[in-house]
Amino acid sequence: MSSLTQMLAVLDVFTTDRPMWRTEDIAEALGYARTTAYRYIRELISAGLLQKVSAGHYALGPRVIELDYVMRQSDPVLSTCAPIMDDLVKKSGLDCVLSAMVGEKIVDTHRASSQTGLALKFGRGRPRSLFLGSSAKILLASQTREHLVKIYQSHKSEIAELGLGTNWAAFRTFMSEVRERGFYFALEELEKGLGGLAVPIHVGPDGPVTAALALVGPILKIKEIGEKRLCNWLMPAATKAAELLPRFEGT
């Protein structure tokens, strides 16, 4: 692990459950020498990513908010999908959620709500399970074989408990089937009383998957609409998003 990766890992310890940390606690949590933790904290404060809130106590800095604003205004996936998601909400009366995989977490990056709205536990910026829910399954199924092997090796017990495969071959088969189907329909995997269907958004017709687009709502309404209609709404929307996404050529 590079020193830059180690320094950025300091940011990961800050959560809504524990927004403030002391240097020694950060060092202990990450297994760093105290002098190393001090050095990383100083660098992160200089960059505005951390701030000192009291003697020996630190919290995330204002630079994080600035970066969030820049992302909201300029992220090509979000800006491309936002109007498409608004249209899906009008058509379906459901909530529409855009999600991405960040490391080994699923993060919702945008949500368009119906008139009634839903009080979802998981919202924009809140990491959630790598294995539960329609978006998680779609994003997992899009990963390379090498990445999936690493994920399986790190989460064998959880994968088996969730019925996704008791060995690597079974897990790979499950994910291959999801990928070939092109959508995943989930009921009450993440939250009781809710269900949803997700599809992948590709960069180009056969390009990599950049995000998952899902329609989410009360389980009775989701069942009433059914897989076919949900797919008929989501698949053309994902295709439209893929066509509109800018292509960035390598240099």
Side-chain angles (χ1 to χ4, degrees):
M1 184 185 295
S2 70
S3 58
L4 177 59
T5 301
Q6 288 180 324
M7 181 172 69
L8 293 176
V10 171
L11 300 175
D12 291 335
V13 305
F14 293 88
T15 65
T16 53
D17 293 329
R18 189 170 177 181
M20 288 195 299
W21 285 72
R22 297 184 305 164
T23 304
E24 50 267 39
D25 293 333
I26 291 173
E28 182 179 353
L30 296 175
Y32 298 165
R34 189 173 298 188
T35 53
T36 300
Y38 272 118
R39 186 172 73 253
Y40 289 160
I41 289 168
R42 283 198 304 269
E43 292 291 336
L44 291 168
I45 289 174
S46 296
L49 294 171
L50 287 184
Q51 60 181 321
K52 189 173 184 178
V53 292
S54 64
H57 289 79
Y58 304 91
L60 293 177
R63 179 70 173 162
V64 175
I65 299 172
E66 182 183 350
L67 291 172
D68 178 69
Y69 174 78
V70 173
M71 178 185 169
R72 284 174 182 264
Q73 299 302 312
S74 61
D75 177 67
V77 177
L78 197 157
S79 58
T80 297
C81 292
I84 294 172
M85 294 169 70
D86 290 338
D87 186 54
L88 283 169
V89 167
K90 290 175 186 175
K91 285 180 182 177
S92 67
L94 300 169
D95 279 23
C96 191
V97 180
L98 185 69
S99 306
M101 182 180 287
V102 181
E104 291 196 359
K105 296 175 184 176
I106 304 299
V107 179
D108 295 339
T109 57
H110 184 63
R111 176 185 170 197
S113 297
S114 62
Q115 289 184 344
T116 55
L118 289 174
L120 298 176
K121 265 187 222 176
F122 301 96
R124 185 177 184 277
R126 299 179 206 170
R128 54 188 173 87
S129 171
L130 186 60
F131 303 105
L132 294 175
S134 55
S135 295
K137 299 291 199 310
I138 282 295
L139 290 167
L140 263 180
S142 73
Q143 301 306 301
T144 63
R145 184 183 187 279
E146 182 183 12
H147 193 191
L148 272 182
V149 168
K150 289 180 180 178
I151 289 171
Y152 178 76
Q153 293 296 333
S154 300
H155 302 275
K156 287 181 183 179
S157 298
E158 186 179 359
I159 287 169
E161 288 171 7
L162 293 172
L164 305 181
T166 55
N167 53 52
W168 159 245
F171 180 61
R172 180 184 59 186
T173 298
F174 183 95
M175 288 302 155
S176 295
E177 289 173 351
V178 173
R179 186 170 186 166
E180 288 172 13
R181 192 160 56 241
F183 71 89
Y184 192 86
F185 186 59
L187 298 174
E188 297 189 307
E189 285 193 13
L190 273 175
E191 297 189 47
K192 187 173 177 60
L194 299 180
L197 187 143
V199 299
I201 297 177
H202 295 264
V203 179
D206 301 309
V209 171
T210 186
L213 191 64
L215 283 171
V216 181
I219 194 167
L220 292 178
K221 188 169 185 178
I222 287 288
K223 285 182 175 180
E224 180 184 348
I225 293 171
E227 286 185 13
K228 185 175 180 180
R229 285 177 71 197
L230 290 169
C231 284
N232 287 342
W233 285 326
L234 278 168
M235 287 184 169
T239 299
K240 182 179 179 180
E243 291 171 350
L244 292 174
L245 277 171
R247 313 288 194 269
F248 299 101
E249 298 297 333
T251 57

